[in-house]
Amino acid sequence: MLKSKTFLKKTRAGGVMKIVREHYLRDDIGCGAAGCTACCGAHEGPALEPQPQDPASSLCPQPHYLLPDTNVLLHQIVSAWRPGTWASVASSLRLPGSLETYVEQEQGENANDRNDRAIRVAAKWYNEHLKKMSADNQLQVIFITNDRKNKEKAVEEGIPAFTCEEYVKSLTANPELIDRLACLSEEGNEIESGKIIFSEHLPLSKLQQGIKSGTYLQGTFRASRENYLEATVWIHGDSEENKEIILQGLKHLNRAIHEDIVAVELLPKSQWVAPSSVVLHDEGQNEDDVEKEEEREQMLKTAVSENMLKPTGRVVGIIKRNWRPYCGMLSKSDIKESRRHLFTPADKRIPRIRIETRQASTLEGRRIIVAIDGWPRNSRYPNGHFVKNLGDVGEKETETEVLLLEHDVPHQPFSQAVLSFLPKMPWGITEKDMKNREDLRHLCICSVDPPGCTDIDDALHCRELENGNLEVGVHIADVSHFIRPGNALDQESARRGTTVYLCEKRIDMVPELLSSNLCSLKCDVDRLAFSCIWEMNHSAEILKTKFTKSVINSKASLTYAEAQLRIDSANMRDDITTSLRGLNKLAKILKKKRIEKGALTLSSPEVRFHMDSETHDPIDLQTKELRETNSMVEEFMLLANISVAKKIHEEFSEHALLRKHPAPPPSNYEILVKAARSRNLEIKTDTAKSLAESLDQAESPTFPYLNTLLRILATRCMMQAVYFCSGMDNDFHHYGLASPIYTHFTSPIRRYADVIVHRLLAVAIGADCTYPELTDKHKLADICKNLNYRHKMAQYAQRASVAFHTQLFFKSKGRVSEEAYILFVRKNAIVVLIPKYGLEGTVFFEEKDKPNPRLIYDDEIPSLKIEDTVFHVFDKVKVKIMLDSSNLQHQKIRMSLVEPQIPGISISPDDISNMNLNGPEKKKMKLEK
Amino acid sequence: MAGLELLSDQGYRVDGRRAGELRKIQARMGVFAQADGSAYIEQGNTKALAVVYGPHEIRGSRARALPDRALVNCQYSSATFSTGERKRRPHGDRKSCEMGLQLRQTFEAAILTQLHPRSQIDIYVQVLQADGGTYAACVNAATLAVLDAGIPMRDFVCACSAGFVDGTALADLSHVEEAAGGPQLALALLPASGQIALLEMDARLHEDHLEQVLEAAAQAAQDVHILLDRVVRQHIWPSPDYPLLQSGPWGCFSPNIPRVSWHRQGWYAPHFMLRTPQLQ
């Protein structure tokens, strides 16, 4: 049947538009119930189960389907998605434009009412349809709605209808489900004190008006980690002034949560404040002590000079919430039998969340996930509901899960759809694979990697040609041969973006079959590769560059140490060793050239854990050792990346995926220059070359570690390198490598950027065909954005993992005293680096329940004077390291000063009395009482 | 293409069709008495009228006469009320010139012009309502009109448009789908041989997808052929299978007659076709 309507509409300009629409109502949409004879398989897609499992509901004992209305579906999706508990959801599939259930909007009926009516009609249709299907089975469709009027009308029309709460409560088999319901019904949730704390959020239309007229500013809300009463809003747009607005006090924060997009109103200048440097954590157990908050807010307003004041504002409305499920722990309510508890998220920027649960005692001491449902005006905390129990605090699996979740690392096992695109085993190279591919199996190729590496993505070879020149080849795993554009496997790896290496675990970007087997360039098997082959003379000048897809057969997979041994030992003369020696010689020349051009050699302390093979507990910490062979492999990888970057940019000037490293603004170097000056050294920072040279010269005969420290500091001054699309940017320079153009080509197994680069290069040399997304620079820019985000998150997750394992290590080790160097000096603390463990930590000089020592901080030098001792950057101190578990959620490494001794501040090596380390024990005692 | 979802997750388009389905087609031949051939077609809300005169002697300058074949002269116009905004469209503007040229190319390929040397065939097409796929509607109307005029052709010429959204080819685009800005392809096909009389596409479309879109358009054109064929058979031998078609000579054609009254006069739409699995 055809519905057609014609109507006239007045346009904004005053003209009259005739709008003609037609809509086809279909008669071929099935009901979706498997085994329904009436619609004989006209239905596609997911089907309803023929016999829904008995959910054991006391309200409706017969088997039934559920038909939730849109609001219920939207808000309760978390609880709905648990197999076996909710019978299959007959979603509104049947609704769009089906002939029997089409509902025309009546005169005076608004769109919402029409939709409600449409869902009721559908429910009715379903019930009649199912009855027709077979008279003897008592299948029923139950309509779930939270709208009271809608429910009443449904009951009137003879449709069994319940509210969500009624239904879930009636499920006798699954009492815990009730906790997972998002609490939306206002009646059941009134808060004792009806006092309104927050001012109302303005509606979106008003906000948009205000933003247009300039009275409000739109920005991203960023809560402060240190102070729960303070936040900043980063204003969107390019205007220079008012880039960052400070918000202070609960009322001004007005229920905004970290990462929300908000609208703020600037306060008059008289009310501007300066960011307070006080650390404040929300610790009150009592829920609604708003008066106390006000006291605290007063505390923030310390007297400051005029020029310290920053633009200050208040949140008037929320443009977009950016809530996600949060990890954290339950703080059980003091009141026994209470079902309402506070949940403390692991991320300190997220406020505590009030949840309702009956299983508080089982959830205590566990890491759990909670989702926020809303934040009413009269509530001090947002309301949420329990989602998932991750496991015990301190368990390695739980903590790993938490850090993966908190850093948004996709770590679920690969779905069936993704795995279906893997090649079938046993896999072999076929005739078809050999098309456009060169056979390089005869070459003496070997790979050099860290020990225990299973995803080998690069291999090298070097041989002398007849004309006396050298042929050098870098062979990279041909991942793009296995991951075809657009399929589920490709989409999943694009989403993951990178492989994440945690201390004891690797979160793969591609399924293991590819990462550790088919793509991994293991020795003595034929593997597909993408080769970059140069002809070089003996002074490492490139004479010819060739890119080709190839088949290789690696002759050896070596570790860095093994390769070094081969190069060094005088009596090894086999092919592999000569090849390695040739490579090493060229690499040295290449490195020298690169450094002459101004490439930086920076340093950051990298730690490696020695794991216990059984328990996977760390037994020893060790900083990574660097050998000549490390730099040999690195040199050729850099060379390959640069060659490929040039080639793809030549071919695709508009949509090459490149990597750039912007030069840092001069102000970034201030710390480094000042620190060096305190040691009578000069660091020039005007160009990368002068920086590299002055870093090389900065050495002190009495203090050999100084140079490394300077390089560590220099690393901290750098900007982040990012991927970008060449058509969207015109600055390609890579500052750190001093290369005009750079990309990532050499690790396609663990980085998605390399896969794209492989595809681009393959098209450029005519070995593969192109596809539309590859030549769409906006799509490419989106990919870059995701990759940059994933890389950053992966880095944070890695650091968090190292931090957690360091804690485990010191937990088993107990307290130790070690030598350390001061990296930074702060107002009330020093940041130290312990070279033995590559560990960095902060030594605080102010403690809560002790008189504050006399601290004098000098910003210029910089130095910190405590009582009579002065601390400079790079001073050598001795610190004691121990695990502080006074806060269960955030266990941390705590350091305190041992040497130089300052009475009242430093502690003697075996003194522990003044440290509050035994928090958990104390708490336990309390519980037992 | 922000905002509008042209293809839902369930695979339905904005107006409830599936990707490969045509809009409802109604057509009728012989709407004018004084013309040699005429036809009226509705494809959804797109309505077009075609009139054919000829073959007759060359009008105007004799120099235009072709020694070996007939001259096909096509003129396209669209009514002021045909689009959303009421707008006067003078004859000879760029769009109608181009459309006329395309129609001419299409029909030069289909009409056996060599049978009528030194003569002229006029095809006038007017669009009464434009809701996407005007070229296709014009070609289909003109085919019926040429057949009505009894001018020998190689084959029907059936046209259909196709677009490309989210990796799926959509047949017979409506105005909403055209306005969304995706690639759009118009195809005129000689269905029996599968030869292409005209293929036109503006906007960029990746080479890899072209085949898919082309196939969708060709399939749709084949479907159009089935319908047009039925219309012609109806027109010539009103069969008892279908309600009688009244091929009355209408002195004047008024586009404003509502469809209901057409039904009352016994006019029957040949068919509304959905491409369901049974039909394939």
Side-chain angles (χ1 to χ4, degrees):
Chain A
M1 196 172 86
L2 183 72
K3 280 275 162 194
S4 178
K5 54 182 173 186
T6 308
F7 55 93
L8 298 174
K9 197 172 100 181
K10 205 168 170 204
T11 60
R12 208 179 286 167
V16 175
M17 287 273 277
K18 182 175 72 172
I19 292 181
V20 187
R21 291 272 180 282
E22 58 179 355
H23 194 94
Y24 294 92
L25 299 181
R26 311 192 64 97
D27 53 4
D28 64 340
I29 304 179
C31 68
C36 172
T37 43
C39 356
C40 56
H43 177 83
E44 296 154 16
L48 296 174
E49 294 161 34
Q51 272 307 317
Q53 288 173 26
D54 188 13
S57 164
S58 54
L59 273 178
C60 20
Q62 314 102 317
H64 53 267
Y65 297 122
L66 293 178
L67 184 77
D69 79 354
T70 21
N71 272 331
V72 172
L73 202 64
L74 216 68
H75 295 294
Q76 308 291 5
I77 192 83
V78 181
S79 35
W81 275 111
R82 226 180 90 173
T85 49
W86 285 59
S88 316
V89 179
S91 70
S92 46
L93 255 181
R94 176 74 200 176
L95 301 182
S98 166
L99 190 57
E100 292 97 329
T101 53
Y102 181 74
V103 172
E104 190 136 17
Q105 194 161 350
E106 279 168 6
Q107 203 96 49
E109 187 183 41
N110 66 24
N112 261 338
D113 288 346
R114 187 228 154 230
N115 286 344
D116 285 346
R117 198 155 58 86
I119 299 175
R120 286 202 303 275
V121 169
K124 204 168 178 179
W125 179 86
Y126 254 109
N127 270 334
E128 277 158 17
H129 182 80
L130 290 174
K131 234 173 254 160
K132 243 187 279 166
M133 197 169 120
S134 58
D136 53 314
N137 81 5
Q138 293 290 310
L139 273 176
Q140 236 185 345
V141 166
I142 304 234
F143 180 46
I144 304 284
T145 177
N146 279 340
D147 184 343
R148 205 185 300 154
K149 261 194 210 151
N150 198 0
K151 190 194 146 194
E152 275 164 21
K153 275 188 190 156
V155 173
E156 251 170 57
E157 288 167 29
I159 306 161
F162 301 104
T163 66
C164 198
E165 215 179 326
E166 282 172 348
Y167 180 79
V168 175
K169 272 191 181 148
S170 75
L171 294 179
T172 43
N174 300 79
E176 80 277 3
L177 259 185
I178 190 86
D179 285 353
R180 297 155 60 95
L181 271 186
C183 41
L184 281 170
S185 51
E186 288 97 27
E187 311 102 64
N189 207 43
E190 80 277 344
I191 286 103
E192 292 83 61
S193 71
K195 212 167 115 193
I196 285 169
I197 306 172
F198 299 104
S199 53
E200 204 165 354
H201 287 154
L202 296 178
L204 199 60
S205 55
K206 266 209 182 129
L207 293 180
Q208 274 160 349
Q209 249 173 30
I211 289 165
K212 242 184 191 169
S213 66
T215 44
Y216 304 142
L217 295 165
Q218 178 179 345
T220 312
F221 183 90
R222 300 191 162 274
S224 153
R225 240 180 251 273
E226 267 101 39
N227 187 339
Y228 76 101
L229 291 174
E230 204 172 87
T232 48
V233 171
W234 288 79
I235 300 304
H236 299 171
D238 306 321
S239 68
E240 275 303 307
E241 51 167 359
N242 300 340
K243 266 257 76 117
E244 199 185 324
I245 292 178
I246 294 191
L247 311 173
Q248 221 171 50
L250 267 188
K251 280 181 189 163
H252 287 171
L253 299 181
N254 200 357
R255 294 171 283 162
I257 291 174
H258 186 65
E259 293 276 316
D260 285 350
I261 312 268
V262 296
V264 287
E265 180 187 41
L266 274 179
L267 295 174
K269 264 202 175 135
S270 57
Q271 293 181 35
W272 283 16
V273 296
S276 65
S277 44
V278 188
V279 177
L280 258 189
H281 290 302
D282 189 6
E283 271 151 0
Q285 178 62 250
N286 200 348
E287 289 198 352
D288 297 296
D289 45 356
V290 186
E291 285 79 16
K292 235 186 210 167
E293 305 295 352
E294 274 161 16
E295 261 170 52
R296 283 186 170 185
E297 278 167 33
Q298 282 306 318
M299 215 170 91
L300 296 179
K301 285 168 190 146
T302 42
V304 276
S305 58
E306 278 288 304
N307 55 2
M308 291 280 281
L309 294 180
K310 290 259 174 72
T312 308
R314 65 182 193 95
V315 172
V316 289
I318 309 279
I319 293 162
K320 190 174 163 264
R321 288 287 192 187
N322 241 337
W323 293 343
R324 58 181 174 93
Y326 298 101
C327 291
M329 286 175 67
L330 198 67
S331 333
K332 208 175 152 197
S333 170
D334 288 341
I335 310 154
K336 256 191 185 171
E337 306 290 307
S338 170
R339 278 197 278 136
R340 215 166 271 161
H341 303 276
L342 277 182
F343 160 85
T344 316
D347 189 340
K348 285 186 190 148
R349 292 169 297 192
I350 309 296
R352 296 200 283 174
I353 302 166
R354 183 189 296 114
I355 63 168
E356 210 170 295
T357 176
R358 292 169 196 187
Q359 353 164 32
S361 38
T362 49
L363 293 182
E364 207 183 14
R366 303 282 178 94
R367 296 271 186 188
I368 58 174
I369 300 181
V370 161
I372 301 184
D373 299 322
W375 197 338
R377 285 177 65 198
N378 52 3
S379 158
R380 167 71 180 77
Y381 297 108
N383 293 328
H385 66 271
F386 164 72
V387 177
K388 197 179 169 191
N389 181 353
L390 293 175
D392 284 332
V393 167
E395 288 273 312
K396 227 176 312 152
E397 287 77 37
T398 317
E399 296 298 327
T400 310
E401 177 92 11
V402 168
L403 78 90
L404 289 174
L405 281 171
E406 281 298 303
H407 292 98
D408 194 14
V409 176
H411 61 283
Q412 296 78 13
F414 288 96
S415 69
Q416 215 49 50
V418 171
L419 296 175
S420 70
F421 286 99
L422 290 178
K424 300 280 164 298
M425 294 301 278
W427 174 86
I429 296 167
T430 60
E431 272 301 301
K432 219 174 104 203
D433 296 337
M434 288 307 292
K435 209 181 127 204
N436 292 328
R437 217 173 261 283
E438 215 169 303
D439 192 347
L440 302 178
R441 276 176 278 204
H442 58 280
L443 290 177
C444 181
I445 294 169
C446 65
S447 63
V448 184
D449 285 285
C453 177
T454 57
D455 49 353
I456 305 172
D457 38 24
D458 49 72
L460 297 158
H461 89 272
C462 171
R463 64 172 180 175
E464 196 149 340
L465 294 174
E466 280 162 15
N467 58 11
N469 288 335
L470 292 170
E471 181 193 78
V472 178
V474 167
H475 310 274
I476 306 297
D478 190 5
V479 178
S480 62
H481 176 85
F482 296 100
I483 302 184
R484 300 312 297 168
N487 67 25
L489 177 58
D490 181 49
Q491 279 164 5
E492 179 64 21
S493 35
R495 192 172 76 92
R496 296 190 175 213
T498 172
T499 295
V500 182
Y501 294 88
L502 302 182
C503 289
E504 83 294 358
K505 203 175 173 182
R506 188 177 81 196
I507 315 292
D508 276 325
M509 182 184 84
V510 295
E512 203 181 346
L513 177 69
L514 291 182
S515 68
S516 321
N517 188 358
L518 298 186
C519 288
S520 181
L521 303 177
K522 297 189 288 189
C523 59
D524 301 322
V525 278
D526 290 352
R527 286 285 176 260
L528 301 180
F530 209 139
S531 302
C532 173
I533 298 167
W534 301 281
E535 191 178 329
M536 288 183 178
N537 58 18
H538 285 270
S539 48
E541 280 156 4
I542 299 173
L543 305 172
K544 233 191 254 168
T545 311
K546 188 176 88 175
F547 303 101
T548 176
K549 291 218 169 192
S550 60
V551 186
I552 62 162
N553 189 325
S554 170
K555 298 290 177 289
S557 17
L558 309 170
T559 63
Y560 290 122
E562 282 167 8
Q564 191 66 51
L565 266 179
R566 273 174 185 260
I567 293 173
D568 293 343
S569 67
N571 48 8
M572 300 273 275
R573 300 216 175 275
D574 56 301
D575 278 353
I576 296 172
T577 314
T578 39
S579 168
L580 282 173
R581 285 196 187 119
L583 288 168
N584 199 24
K585 208 181 90 201
L586 288 172
K588 278 182 191 163
I589 307 171
L590 284 171
K591 186 168 186 183
K592 207 174 127 228
K593 276 194 202 161
R594 205 160 55 81
I595 287 172
E596 269 167 22
K597 269 201 270 165
L600 297 172
T601 332
L602 298 172
S603 146
S604 59
E606 274 193 82
V607 205
R608 228 191 141 73
F609 287 94
H610 283 252
M611 296 285 187
D612 189 312
S613 51
E614 302 265 301
T615 59
H616 293 286
D617 282 332
I619 353 180
D620 200 5
L621 271 169
Q622 190 189 37
T623 42
K624 259 184 201 163
E625 216 180 321
L626 286 180
R627 292 190 179 79
E628 239 178 24
T629 39
N630 287 55
S631 107
M632 173 188 92
V633 173
E634 190 192 335
E635 237 19 84
F636 284 106
M637 295 306 132
L638 292 178
L639 193 64
N641 285 338
I642 293 169
S643 295
V644 171
K646 278 182 197 151
K647 174 82 182 172
I648 58 172
H649 182 246
E650 222 169 75
E651 200 77 15
F652 303 101
S653 60
E654 280 293 293
H655 37 253
L657 191 152
L658 301 175
R659 189 169 172 84
K660 69 170 175 184
H661 183 206
S667 59
N668 276 22
Y669 286 123
E670 237 164 67
I671 264 184
L672 176 69
V673 175
K674 273 184 192 170
R677 203 178 294 141
S678 70
R679 293 273 152 181
N680 296 325
L681 293 168
E682 201 194 350
I683 300 283
K684 290 193 205 104
T685 57
D686 39 345
T687 63
K689 192 168 156 67
S690 60
L691 175 66
E693 275 169 4
S694 50
L695 275 177
D696 285 342
Q697 285 158 9
E699 263 179 54
S700 152
T702 53
F703 189 5
Y705 199 64
L706 180 66
N707 193 275
T708 317
L709 282 175
L710 278 171
R711 286 182 199 275
I712 291 172
L713 267 191
T715 316
R716 303 286 160 88
C717 305
M718 293 297 154
M719 306 279 283
Q720 191 83 38
V722 287
Y723 295 111
F724 68 103
C725 168
S726 63
M728 311 287 271
D729 208 323
N730 39 29
D731 172 31
F732 295 179
H733 195 76
H734 198 291
Y735 180 80
L737 296 171
S739 167
I741 192 166
Y742 192 68
T743 192
H744 270 163
F745 167 73
T746 51
S747 300
I749 300 181
R750 57 186 179 89
R751 289 189 304 231
Y752 188 73
D754 302 51
V755 177
I756 296 280
V757 170
H758 273 229
R759 288 179 188 158
L760 287 167
L761 185 65
V763 175
I765 61 168
D768 207 342
C769 55
T770 176
Y771 60 100
E773 281 77 26
L774 194 66
T775 51
D776 183 333
K777 65 178 177 183
H778 297 284
K779 289 240 168 76
L780 209 56
D782 285 346
I783 291 176
C784 290
K785 207 172 135 200
N786 179 45
L787 289 179
N788 289 330
Y789 169 73
R790 293 288 180 202
H791 273 265
K792 200 173 72 191
M793 280 332 215
Q795 222 171 18
Y796 290 164
Q798 254 146 303
R799 272 184 223 160
S801 172
V802 169
F804 173 66
H805 280 82
T806 319
Q807 285 169 19
L808 280 187
F809 173 67
F810 284 106
K811 197 176 185 179
S812 60
K813 190 135 181 162
R815 307 180 176 88
V816 279
S817 294
E818 285 296 342
E819 278 181 1
Y821 295 100
I822 299 179
L823 270 186
F824 302 101
V825 177
R826 302 250 189 262
K827 256 185 202 165
N828 60 351
I830 51 172
V831 179
V832 297
L833 175 83
I834 299 156
K836 185 177 174 192
Y837 300 122
L839 179 69
E840 200 181 311
T842 314
V843 181
F844 289 100
F845 295 117
E846 275 172 341
E847 267 178 72
K848 262 188 213 155
D849 20 79
K850 280 208 290 181
N852 280 357
R854 201 154 42 82
L855 298 172
I856 302 161
Y857 175 68
D858 187 347
D859 189 38
E860 276 309 302
I861 302 179
S863 71
L864 180 69
K865 191 172 176 189
I866 304 161
E867 304 290 334
D868 296 318
T869 321
V870 185
F871 290 99
H872 289 108
V873 175
F874 303 144
D875 279 355
K876 193 181 197 178
V877 292
K878 200 164 192 186
V879 293
K880 181 181 200 133
I881 312 159
M882 59 202 111
L883 187 70
D884 179 358
S885 21
S886 53
N887 181 348
L888 254 183
Q889 173 129 292
H890 298 282
Q891 298 194 347
K892 56 192 171 207
I893 299 289
R894 177 126 155 196
M895 297 189 182
S896 44
L897 197 64
V898 176
E899 258 170 61
Q901 288 190 354
I902 309 170
I905 306 287
S906 63
I907 53 169
S908 67
D910 34 47
D911 176 22
I912 49 158
S913 60
N914 60 348
M915 302 304 295
N916 174 26
L917 284 173
N918 306 325
E921 271 105 327
K922 265 190 208 160
K923 258 191 196 160
K924 239 181 234 162
M925 301 246 299
K926 222 196 243 166
L927 283 176
E928 277 158 11
K929 271 179 208 168
Chain B
M1 278 162 266
L4 198 62
E5 189 190 36
L6 291 180
L7 195 65
S8 74
D9 292 341
Q10 283 90 32
Y12 297 117
R13 292 156 68 173
V14 182
D15 54 8
R17 287 183 286 160
R18 282 187 199 280
E21 285 170 356
L22 299 176
R23 289 176 288 176
K24 181 171 180 166
I25 292 181
Q26 301 177 322
R28 128 183 202 92
M29 295 164 72
V31 284
F32 292 125
Q34 79 271 41
D36 292 320
S38 59
Y40 170 74
I41 195 165
E42 286 184 9
Q43 283 183 250
N45 282 322
T46 302
K47 298 168 186 176
L49 189 62
V51 178
V52 170
Y53 295 93
H56 53 72
E57 248 177 79
I58 297 275
R59 302 250 164 86
S61 149
R62 299 255 158 180
R64 290 200 301 152
L66 302 166
D68 55 340
R69 56 195 164 98
L71 178 81
V72 180
N73 170 39
C74 291
Q75 270 184 20
Y76 164 90
S77 63
S78 78
T80 47
F81 48 81
S82 66
T83 52
E85 227 170 324
R86 206 177 166 86
K87 199 168 148 194
R88 263 197 66 75
R89 289 182 175 73
H91 273 288
D93 67 335
R94 239 178 67 90
K95 196 189 158 205
S96 47
C97 279
E98 194 189 338
M99 193 68 106
L101 201 70
Q102 285 174 357
L103 285 172
R104 179 176 161 178
Q105 284 169 356
T106 312
F107 282 94
E108 273 180 346
I111 297 176
L112 296 169
T113 46
Q114 66 274 23
L115 297 180
H116 311 284
R118 288 184 299 282
S119 50
Q120 178 178 352
I121 299 168
D122 292 318
I123 302 176
Y124 300 112
V125 190
Q126 186 167 37
V127 169
L128 303 175
Q129 190 164 304
D131 185 36
T134 41
Y135 169 77
C138 289
V139 170
N140 296 336
T143 304
L144 292 181
V146 172
L147 286 169
D148 189 38
I151 299 170
M153 298 218 286
R154 282 194 181 82
D155 193 358
F156 280 71
V157 199
C158 296
C160 195
S161 62
F164 189 72
V165 170
D166 296 339
T168 316
L170 306 183
D172 195 13
L173 299 185
S174 71
H175 176 69
V176 181
E177 288 162 334
E178 277 183 2
Q184 183 199 342
L185 174 142
L187 171 80
L189 199 71
L190 304 179
S193 59
Q195 281 177 314
I196 292 173
L198 185 114
L199 175 64
E200 194 221 3
M201 183 174 68
D202 22 281
R204 278 161 60 107
L205 177 70
H206 195 273
E207 192 190 340
D208 293 358
H209 300 313
L210 180 65
E211 202 171 326
Q212 190 190 349
V213 181
L214 201 57
E215 202 150 292
Q219 182 58 52
Q222 293 284 4
D223 292 346
V224 170
H225 173 237
I226 300 174
L227 293 173
L228 294 190
D229 185 69
R230 202 173 291 169
V231 174
V232 175
R233 285 177 204 280
Q234 279 294 304
H235 181 65
I236 301 167
W237 306 291
S239 97
D241 294 348
Y242 301 99
L244 196 73
L245 263 173
Q246 206 182 56
S247 54
W250 289 10
C252 96
F253 175 76
S254 154
N256 292 333
I257 298 173
R259 194 181 302 125
V260 190
S261 66
W262 290 46
H263 277 291
R264 210 176 297 135
Q265 289 173 27
W267 189 86
Y268 182 74
H271 226 273
F272 156 41
M273 183 185 152
L274 288 170
R275 204 189 314 153
T276 49
Q278 292 97 305
L279 268 173
Q280 265 185 351

